[in-house]
Amino acid sequence: MQRLLQAIYPNQCLSCGEVTGSDAGLCATCWRDTAFISGLTCHLCGAPLPGDDDPDEAPDLTCDDCLAIARPWARGAAAMLYRGNGRRLVLALKGHDRAELAQAVAPWLARAAAPLYEPGMLIAPVPLHWLRLFKRRYNQSALLARALARALEAPFCPDLLVRARATPRQEGLGAAARFANMAEAIRPHPKRRHRMAARKVLLVDDVMTSGATLAACAEACLASGASEVRVVTLARTVKDT
């Protein structure tokens, strides 16, 4: 039966749609064009760092961005860089009606999140304002968070946080403007606040740039009694060097 289904519905690359010989998700070309993060990384955002030290022996290294900007969360990670095929996959999930990608990329996200996750930790997404949710029809971060929770067999709360006001898009804004844009934009859901009391929370988003949105979410969790917040994103933007 599996061979018959494979013949009728052969595995296709998540990015280009070409038929692949495996269920790895990407064809060889797109896999080569996807910058998965490995090796030494910033312990706060997951950005790759130079050096060939053992990551297990250098667990608290910090990138320049996280040295310059205070992070309200304790640890962070990302699965891939927001460039090349990684950028195309994020944009497809976010704006091209490719909701099915969330489940397909869940193994990559789970691999990045594994060092952060602890049993009992609550997984929650970065929220969308209801107007944007109405236009898009789904919250890509919630789809990623749900897929991650399934992969880790972890507790999941899709509406732990709410976006209290519609914020302008962050694209094209500098770091200071992004943080100002998100000021007081995120609040705990009044009926879900109790779920994070004295509990660690793992926040999930599709991409981290300045960290302003994740910071607003983390602050809302901590103000509601969360004992600690950690963050994981599918992709991380980094400066070209």
Side-chain angles (χ1 to χ4, degrees):
M1 180 63 73
Q2 288 179 337
R3 286 196 293 270
L4 178 60
L5 289 174
Q6 195 97 41
I8 300 174
Y9 303 107
N11 293 316
Q12 292 181 298
C13 175
L14 298 175
S15 181
C16 69
E18 288 293 320
V19 174
T20 64
S22 71
D23 57 359
L26 296 172
C27 66
T29 301
C30 290
W31 186 273
R32 199 165 48 245
D33 195 30
T34 304
F36 291 102
I37 296 174
S38 61
L40 285 182
T41 61
C42 173
H43 80 286
L44 288 174
C45 72
L49 297 173
D52 54 5
D53 296 337
D54 185 344
D56 294 331
E57 296 179 2
D60 296 324
L61 297 176
T62 307
C63 70
D64 291 344
D65 283 352
C66 292
L67 285 172
I69 302 173
R71 305 298 192 192
W73 60 83
R75 295 178 63 191
M80 58 188 179
L81 296 182
Y82 186 67
R83 63 171 57 146
N85 197 53
R87 182 175 184 272
R88 287 191 290 273
L89 287 169
V90 170
L91 292 178
L93 171 64
K94 192 171 186 174
H96 297 165
D97 207 22
R98 294 284 308 279
E100 80 283 356
L101 287 176
Q103 188 61 49
V105 302
W108 309 340
L109 195 60
R111 191 179 305 115
L116 308 181
Y117 180 72
E118 296 177 7
M121 181 179 283
L122 184 63
I123 294 180
V126 167
L128 278 183
H129 189 266
W130 69 268
L131 282 174
R132 191 164 294 170
L133 181 61
F134 178 77
K135 293 177 182 177
R136 190 175 294 169
R137 302 195 309 280
Y138 61 86
N139 176 0
Q140 73 280 356
S141 297
L143 296 181
L144 288 170
R146 178 182 288 111
L148 177 62
R150 287 174 178 166
L152 298 177
E153 298 182 349
F156 170 59
C157 185
D159 56 351
L160 186 70
L161 302 171
V162 295
R163 197 171 291 236
R165 60 181 176 82
T167 54
R169 291 187 178 277
Q170 300 275 60
E171 289 85 349
L173 299 179
R178 286 171 179 262
F179 277 87
N181 192 28
M182 292 304 303
E184 300 182 358
I186 307 293
R187 296 176 184 171
H189 191 297
K191 294 183 178 180
R192 306 288 182 266
R193 184 192 298 263
H194 68 281
R195 295 198 61 183
M196 61 180 123
R199 191 177 193 180
K200 292 182 180 179
V201 176
L202 179 60
L203 293 173
V204 180
D205 204 2
D206 56 347
V207 60
M208 175 181 167
T209 302
S210 68
T213 303
L214 284 165
C217 293
E219 288 167 354
C221 291
L222 293 171
S224 299
S227 62
E228 184 179 284
V229 176
R230 300 176 184 181
V231 303
V232 64
T233 60
L234 179 60
R236 173 72 166 104
T237 63
V238 296
K239 299 184 178 105
D240 292 326
T241 56

